[in-house]
Amino acid sequence: MKFTTFSLAALFGSASAFTVSQNSPRTSTSLNVWGDKDYLIAPSILSADFARLGEEVDNVLAAGADVVHFDVMDNHYVPNLTIGPMVCKALRDHGVTAPIDVHLMVSPVDAAITDFIAAGASYITFHPEATNHVDRSLQLIRNGGCKAGLVFNPATSLDAAKYVIDKLDIILLMSVNPGFGGQAFIPAVLDKAREARKLIDEAGIDCRLEIDGGVKVENIREVAEAGVDMMVAGSAILKEPRTMEAYKKTIDAMRAELAKVKK
């Protein structure tokens, strides 16, 4: 996909005066997590064809995806520039009602949080090192009616989560280094997933454990058995021939693997 300098600036532009999205109350599954499914599949639109983004999102949701994942990069915190709140609002205006999961790879984060709340985000996560006040940024998300979470890079300790555990709806683990799609999965992150799952379970919180980077049919079962219950997948799903039928074939194969998970 190709962008001009102008289109990149427009995509990342701020939103204002949008309606704040409110979420329905939590429900619990047998895994004690919010939502009505044990596992959520969240295709990343970073791998979509942006010339027909609305159609791509419609197709992947019709194919059985649960969540629309937004990778927001600012060419500052990470070496890439992607999409902003205007795209989130455009999808809501297009008619997308599924949860939109916004992963902020930006610094500072608070202005972006406010803009994405207004644009219709459902979940917002950010990296603790990208803000001066982690607790305050989490409160900002939750006060806006969104689910809030922290994101941990492969080499980043989970320590920051321990001190704001009561404010976490999501812990997102990066299984690649952030900044680009299509990277290979880093297996060592599975040990961190087990550590994060233990942290969540011992705290007794209603929190999803999410993973992002290199997830595909061949490893999704292993990822789930490490304690992950929300899987971001970009290039593994959103690829040629870019039809609803092709997306469904991949998502169905992922769910078949998840059905084999030993609990």
Side-chain angles (χ1 to χ4, degrees), residues 180-218:
F180 300 94
Q183 299 182 66
F185 186 88
I186 298 174
V189 176
L190 292 174
D191 287 335
K192 182 185 282 188
R194 296 181 187 98
E195 181 184 352
R197 171 51 59 195
K198 182 179 179 182
L199 177 67
I200 290 168
D201 290 348
E202 290 182 349
I205 57 172
D206 198 17
C207 180
R208 286 278 180 183
L209 179 56
E210 185 175 12
I211 202 162
D212 183 359
V215 176
K216 51 190 177 180
V217 173
E218 292 76 12

Side-chain angles (χ1 to χ4, degrees), residues 20-28 34-36 92 97-99 121-123 144-147 169 206:
V20 174
S21 172
Q22 296 294 329
N23 294 298
S24 57
R26 296 178 179 181
T27 58
S28 294
W34 46 263
D36 61 358
R92 289 300 190 206
T97 58
S122 308
Y123 323 145
C146 297
K147 296 188 186 298
D169 301 295
D206 198 17

Side-chain angles (χ1 to χ4, degrees), residues 222-246:
E222 183 180 20
V223 167
E225 288 179 341
V228 176
D229 49 43
M230 180 154 58
M231 292 78 170
V232 177
S235 57
I237 296 175
L238 288 163
K239 59 186 179 181
E240 297 298 336
R242 297 192 177 278
T243 63
M244 188 275 285
E245 292 77 14

Side-chain angles (χ1 to χ4, degrees), residues 38-57:
D38 286 347
Y39 300 106
L40 300 180
I41 294 177
S44 169
I45 64 169
L46 186 64
S47 297
D49 178 354
F50 273 74
R52 52 190 188 97
L53 182 59
E55 179 186 351
E56 286 271 73
V57 172

